[in-house]
Amino acid sequence: MAYTATCPEVSEVTIGSGLYRPGLFDYYDDMPFEVAAGYAIRATRRPSQTTIVAHGGGYIASGATGSDKMPVLADDELAFYATEGAGEVQTPLAMPKNKYAIGDSIVLRHAKAGELCERFQVLHGYRHNTYIGPMTTYRGEGQCFL
């Protein structure tokens, strides 16, 4: 992005998903943006002291499947199970003993912005921890690009 902006033949630079700084952009050393989007899934089962299962959550980014296309857990103490990952129906997570209970929200970040905008009608905006209101996605405006 920085290099392209210096090219005299370039009149416009866009970065699409980069504005939200999704998980894929965590690997760029010179990305100046802060994390700006995420989503929450609800814990629905707790089959053991060290496993919590959340409803849904499997918003895998497009492209060749790999760990870089998985959602990123906001809580570093949680971990996906290698045999499950983030699932469409449920997402089992390894957790420290008794950290989460049924009904708790588990926050994740998407790997690419399209996954949020394709699946949710509204994103809710905050600025400096103050709620600024809903923002309709293209899905919320009745659009579908798939």
Side-chain angles (χ1 to χ4, degrees), residues 41-47 51-56 89-92 100-106:
I41 54 179
R42 185 82 57 198
T44 55
R45 291 189 302 116
R46 194 169 126 184
T51 299
I52 194 77
V53 179
H55 181 73
V89 175
Q90 66 180 10
T91 299
Y100 289 89
I102 292 172
D104 286 350
S105 292
I106 297 168

Side-chain angles (χ1 to χ4, degrees), residues 16-146:
S17 292
L19 292 175
Y20 291 108
R21 184 138 183 239
L24 280 175
F25 288 83
D26 288 352
Y27 305 103
Y28 293 94
D29 292 333
D30 59 349
M31 179 55 79
F33 303 117
E34 292 183 26
V35 172
Y39 62 98
I41 54 179
R42 185 82 57 198
T44 55
R45 291 189 302 116
R46 194 169 126 184
S48 75
Q49 293 288 328
T50 58
T51 299
I52 194 77
V53 179
H55 181 73
Y59 304 126
I60 308 302
S62 59
T65 304
S67 61
D68 62 333
K69 302 297 174 64
M70 292 276 291
V72 177
L73 292 157
D75 184 341
D76 291 339
E77 294 184 41
L78 293 174
F80 292 109
Y81 283 103
T83 56
E84 292 264 352
E88 281 183 77
V89 175
Q90 66 180 10
T91 299
L93 298 163
M95 68 166 181
K97 191 173 183 178
N98 295 321
K99 182 152 187 186
Y100 289 89
I102 292 172
D104 286 350
S105 292
I106 297 168
V107 178
L108 300 97
R109 292 173 40 231
H110 53 295
K112 290 179 168 178
E115 282 63 50
L116 284 184
C117 294
E118 181 58 34
R119 289 173 176 83
F120 294 97
Q121 295 180 356
V122 175
L123 301 179
H124 293 274
Y126 288 81
R127 180 172 288 130
H128 306 292
N129 293 322
T130 301
Y131 183 65
I132 59 171
M135 296 171 281
T136 307
T137 65
Y138 56 82
R139 172 64 77 184
E141 293 177 353
Q143 302 296 316
C144 180
F145 300 114
L146 298 177

